[in-house]
């Protein structure tokens, strides 16, 4: 027996087919609201963090949650300085990486650097 949310079941039945351009945050919100048909109780835009980079892609008939998970390592946080590799104290700058997960508050898409 597996206990899953209703959105997890919908994820198996729905597919992302259109092209997305622009901010990754906008694409993630669009997939959650338009493809999975989630209302404001399952995700809040404050839990979807803004990215510094834009990314264009086509859904290629993949599952919605798979597409969002695929976008996570391609996202760059807005707090990072693009093109800078770091400093002598070991602080990384310009690092990419977001995490996507579901908890009791709904879906979250946040950068690793903001969580640390």
């Amino acid at each position: 027996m597996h206990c899953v949310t209703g959105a997890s079941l919908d994820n198996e039945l729905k597919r992302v087919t259109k092209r997305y351009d622009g901010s990754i945050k906008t694409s993630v919100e669009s997939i959650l609201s338009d493809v999975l048909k989630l209302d404001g109780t399952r995700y809040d835009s404050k839990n979807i963090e803004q990215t510094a980079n834009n990314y264009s892609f086509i859904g290629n008939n993949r599952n919605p949650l798979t597409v969002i998970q695929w976008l996570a390592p391609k996202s760059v946080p807005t707090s990072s300085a693009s093109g800078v590799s770091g400093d002598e104290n070991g602080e990384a700058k310009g690092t990419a990486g977001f995490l996507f997960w579901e908890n009791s508050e709904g879906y979250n898409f946040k950068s690793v650097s903001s969580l640390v």
Side-chain angles (χ1 to χ4, degrees):
M1 176 181 214
H2 292 280
C3 297
V4 295
T5 62
S8 296
L9 292 175
D10 287 342
N11 180 56
E12 297 301 322
L13 300 173
K14 298 185 179 180
R15 302 288 184 215
V16 179
T17 57
K18 73 177 225 174
R19 178 182 173 89
Y20 292 88
D21 294 308
S23 170
I24 295 177
K25 174 185 174 147
T26 306
S27 300
V28 168
E29 289 176 337
S30 177
I31 291 169
L32 290 174
S33 64
D34 299 339
V35 178
L36 280 177
K37 306 281 190 228
L38 296 179
D39 58 1
T41 61
R42 289 308 310 148
Y43 84 96
D44 189 357
S45 62
K46 68 179 173 77
N47 290 334
I48 311 295
E49 191 175 318
Q50 182 63 45
T51 59
N53 60 325
N54 294 333
Y55 193 74
S56 299
F57 66 96
I58 299 172
N60 288 338
N61 212 27
R62 290 179 287 176
N63 295 336
L65 298 180
T66 303
V67 171
I68 297 173
Q69 193 70 35
W70 173 74
L71 287 171
K74 295 168 178 37
S75 303
V76 177
T78 56
S79 61
S80 67
S82 178
V84 180
S85 62
D87 61 13
E88 61 274 356
N89 296 328
E91 181 181 348
K93 296 181 180 176
T95 58
F98 272 58
L99 297 174
F100 177 66
W101 75 95
E102 181 183 20
N103 61 11
S104 62
E105 297 175 5
Y107 288 99
N108 299 276
F109 187 76
K110 297 198 178 213
S111 68
V112 173
S113 60
S114 72
L115 294 172
V116 175

